[in-house]
Amino acid sequence: MSKRRTTPVEPEFAEPHMCSTGTRLQILGRVPFFTGLPAEAIERINERFQDRGYNAGEMIYLAGEEAVRLYVVATGKVKLLRHTADGQEIMLDILTPGEHFGSLAALGDAVYPDTAQAHTGVCALSISAEDFRAILEAYPATALRVLDITGARLRDAQERVRQLSAYTVEQRIAAALLKLGEKLGEPHEEGLLIQMPLSREDLAAMTGTTTETASRTLRRFQNDGLINAGRQWVAIADREQLERLAATEAV
Amino acid sequence: MSKRRTTPVEPEFAEPHMCSTGTRLQILGRVPFFTGLPAEAIERINERFQDRGYNAGEMIYLAGEEAVRLYVVATGKVKLLRHTADGQEIMLDILTPGEHFGSLAALGDAVYPDTAQAHTGVCALSISAEDFRAILEAYPATALRVLDITGARLRDAQERVRQLSAYTVEQRIAAALLKLGEKLGEPHEEGLLIQMPLSREDLAAMTGTTTETASRTLRRFQNDGLINAGRQWVAIADREQLERLAATEAV
DNA sequence: CGCTGCCTTGATCTTCTTCAAAACGTGTGG
DNA sequence: CCACACGTTTTGAAGAAGATCAAGGCAGCG
């Protein structure tokens, strides 16, 4: 087996990342909770949105700041993080184009409960919480879509609670890889390649363990032929086996 | 210090639990997401609801069943659980009167992702998922309320992910007690008494540990004067100290 | 009373973290 | 194009936190 070490992951455009490509109208039309709205509604909504580019690693907002905007990923990947008192990072979610983050509530004194960081170069659209609230009031179908998405995220988070409560590190890493593979996987000679830079540290922050343990676990997986991995990338070679290991009953 | 062992927790009515007390109209009017609706709307909504009593320990629905109804707790406490393959229970949440659980989506083929069990004697109202969907469509303000509640639960779940990822058992138990105290606490000579039957096993299922460890931790807390506890009950004696231990930055 | 669930306690063992250091890859500047 | 420097990954050894296994004890109830 060829031991490829250089990343097969395609870079997410050049950075500094710009939002220029295409009109925001096109992007907004593809956001899950706006689909189905009449074109003129989207046009009116579009006027309320701003766009902005972020370089990889750049913070979009910090936990504790006043929660005033709602964001939608246009291009790139966004990490949602929480920190512990001693600075350790917990990755709550990784968001891809079309997904939203930030403030849903129109209340004035709320703060962001988490930190949003551009994981790759990112273009994000954003709107003030009040304006978004007004849209939800004007278009009930959109509100229900947002509710569905939020409900799905809640179930995901609860599933993670279960995993952290009852599963071993090995099972959690297997489950995390499978979920990433489902969300970001692309067929590749190395296997189902997870299309984003993914360090051992990232994986540790996702599964509640340490870089060292993540590294050791990936090595074991690789030795057993379950995955192929290198610096900042992982590809799933044997999905069935990995699923058996994770003991995941499907969603 | 008087070492009281008998439970100071007041029983949640006699079981077999009936829903008889008061009209459902009154209950529905006090459900957070219906408040503010005109009386005639609530009356129309009421027609769609059924009520039913459950004994303590009785299952309301099981994970994996077809998700066809949405429930609202009228009286009593409901546990939301997930199970592992080997039968271990993870407690996701404990619901009090006015809170909802079950299916939010109108989709036909969805299944409940968790199990709902009556923790005390319970009266629950329920409505078909389709009917509830129709209500959300008819009353956008209600839909936004439900969205807010779901968003708050999502943040709670994410906070738990953080705790499980980074905190020790001792910190998680302290945090769990504080949260319960906030939700169910009543002043009492023993301290802030958590008004529900709460076994070591329950606490273990909430914090992702074992009964034995929960027991040892509570004993340590009690020896340090942080709590008073007995069979199936816990009261918080020294809130500040417990908070310092949990290292919880407030919501 | 004696039974049935909780709860407690102790001893052992496994998993994972922590600390430390070396190896490797990648990009940079000479 | 090479060599260096930096961030990532790997590996090892020691230590800690908590799980597991195994009894016993205690409270309430029939």
Side-chain angles (χ1 to χ4, degrees):
Chain A
M1 181 185 300
S2 69
K3 273 214 180 161
R4 189 214 274 249
R5 299 266 122 216
T6 60
T7 188
V9 175
E10 291 164 21
E12 194 98 37
F13 289 90
E15 318 160 14
H17 203 72
M18 292 307 290
C19 283
S20 45
T21 18
T23 59
R24 288 174 357 192
L25 276 179
Q26 292 177 318
I27 294 164
L28 285 177
R30 261 179 274 127
V31 171
F33 44 77
F34 290 141
T35 55
L37 289 189
E40 89 242 6
I42 291 185
E43 210 157 321
R44 225 169 318 127
I45 289 168
N46 175 52
E47 289 166 14
R48 298 293 187 166
F49 271 92
Q50 299 172 5
D51 55 45
R52 164 145 180 230
Y54 300 85
N55 291 328
E58 198 174 338
M59 297 300 175
I60 300 173
Y61 60 73
L62 295 173
E65 288 179 6
E66 198 194 345
V68 289
R69 311 219 102 220
L70 176 121
Y71 297 80
V72 173
V73 183
T75 64
K77 315 269 186 289
V78 172
K79 284 196 274 198
L80 275 194
L81 303 169
R82 262 177 209 221
H83 296 265
T84 61
D86 58 346
Q88 188 188 343
E89 281 188 354
I90 314 294
M91 198 185 299
L92 296 175
D93 211 344
I94 182 106
L95 305 174
T96 55
E99 297 193 284
H100 69 271
F101 59 103
S103 172
L104 275 180
L107 309 173
D109 44 61
V111 298
Y112 297 114
D114 41 45
T115 297
Q117 182 181 22
H119 184 240
T120 64
V122 160
C123 169
L125 309 182
S126 77
I127 187 173
S128 83
E130 291 87 22
D131 284 350
F132 190 69
R133 196 69 173 187
I135 290 173
L136 295 187
E137 275 161 18
Y139 303 102
T142 296
L144 289 185
R145 289 287 193 107
V146 175
L147 177 58
D148 288 340
I149 293 166
T150 306
R153 285 203 195 156
L154 175 57
R155 283 190 292 281
D156 271 13
Q158 290 176 336
E159 172 58 23
R160 253 182 98 185
V161 167
R162 187 182 75 150
Q163 290 181 2
L164 286 164
S165 297
Y167 287 179
T168 63
V169 168
E170 187 171 70
Q171 290 177 302
R172 302 200 305 261
I173 291 188
L177 291 177
L178 287 167
K179 202 175 133 200
L180 286 170
E182 224 165 271
K183 194 166 181 178
L184 302 167
E186 288 182 8
H188 192 276
E189 54 173 302
E190 305 281 356
L192 187 70
L193 176 68
I194 293 168
Q195 246 308 329
M196 78 172 206
L198 181 67
S199 68
R200 307 295 181 268
E201 197 174 358
D202 290 330
L203 213 43
M206 287 182 203
T207 54
T209 185
T210 59
T211 356
E212 291 95 328
T213 301
S215 174
R216 284 185 245 263
T217 306
L218 285 192
R219 171 137 305 279
R220 215 175 324 132
F221 285 174
Q222 178 136 14
N223 290 342
D224 296 352
L226 303 183
I227 64 167
N228 287 303
R231 195 192 179 79
Q232 305 257 43
W233 65 272
V234 180
I236 297 172
D238 188 342
R239 197 162 184 259
E240 285 76 28
Q241 195 87 34
L242 210 55
E243 272 166 357
R244 214 163 307 132
L245 218 168
T248 311
E249 39 268 63
V251 186
Chain B
M1 178 185 299
S2 69
K3 272 211 178 163
R4 190 214 274 250
R5 300 264 124 218
T6 59
T7 188
V9 175
E10 292 164 20
E12 193 97 38
F13 291 89
E15 317 158 13
H17 203 70
M18 291 308 290
C19 283
S20 46
T21 18
T23 59
R24 288 171 0 189
L25 275 179
Q26 292 176 318
I27 294 164
L28 284 177
R30 261 179 274 128
V31 171
F33 44 77
F34 289 140
T35 56
L37 289 189
E40 89 241 5
I42 292 185
E43 209 157 321
R44 223 168 321 125
I45 288 168
N46 176 52
E47 288 166 13
R48 298 294 185 165
F49 272 91
Q50 299 172 4
D51 54 45
R52 165 147 179 226
Y54 300 86
N55 291 328
E58 198 174 338
M59 298 300 176
I60 300 173
Y61 59 73
L62 295 172
E65 289 179 6
E66 197 194 346
V68 289
R69 310 220 105 218
L70 176 122
Y71 296 79
V72 173
V73 183
T75 64
K77 316 269 187 292
V78 172
K79 284 197 275 198
L80 274 193
L81 304 169
R82 258 174 214 224
H83 297 265
T84 59
D86 58 346
Q88 189 189 342
E89 282 189 352
I90 315 292
M91 199 185 300
L92 295 175
D93 210 344
I94 181 107
L95 304 174
T96 55
E99 296 193 285
H100 70 271
F101 59 102
S103 172
L104 276 179
L107 310 174
D109 45 61
V111 297
Y112 297 114
D114 40 45
T115 297
Q117 182 181 22
H119 183 239
T120 63
V122 160
C123 168
L125 310 181
S126 77
I127 187 173
S128 82
E130 291 88 23
D131 284 349
F132 190 69
R133 242 313 142 136
I135 290 173
L136 294 186
E137 275 161 19
Y139 303 102
T142 296
L144 289 185
R145 290 287 193 106
V146 175
L147 176 58
D148 288 340
I149 292 167
T150 307
R153 286 204 195 155
L154 174 56
R155 283 190 292 282
D156 270 14
Q158 290 175 337
E159 172 59 23
R160 255 183 96 184
V161 167
R162 186 182 75 150
Q163 290 183 0
L164 286 164
S165 297
Y167 287 178
T168 63
V169 167
E170 188 170 69
Q171 290 176 303
R172 302 202 303 263
I173 290 188
L177 291 177
L178 287 167
K179 204 174 133 201
L180 286 170
E182 225 166 272
K183 193 166 182 178
L184 302 167
E186 288 183 7
H188 191 275
E189 53 173 305
E190 306 280 358
L192 186 71
L193 176 67
I194 293 168
Q195 246 309 328
M196 76 172 208
L198 182 65
S199 68
R200 308 296 181 267
E201 195 174 0
D202 290 331
L203 213 42
M206 286 181 203
T207 54
T209 183
T210 59
T211 354
E212 292 95 326
T213 300
S215 174
R216 283 184 246 264
T217 306
L218 286 191
R219 172 137 303 277
R220 216 175 322 131
F221 285 174
Q222 177 136 11
N223 290 343
D224 297 351
L226 302 184
I227 64 167
N228 287 304
R231 194 192 181 79
Q232 304 258 44
W233 65 272
V234 181
I236 297 172
D238 188 341
R239 197 162 185 260
E240 285 76 28
Q241 197 85 34
L242 210 54
E243 271 165 357
R244 215 163 306 131
L245 219 169
T248 311
E249 40 268 66
V251 186

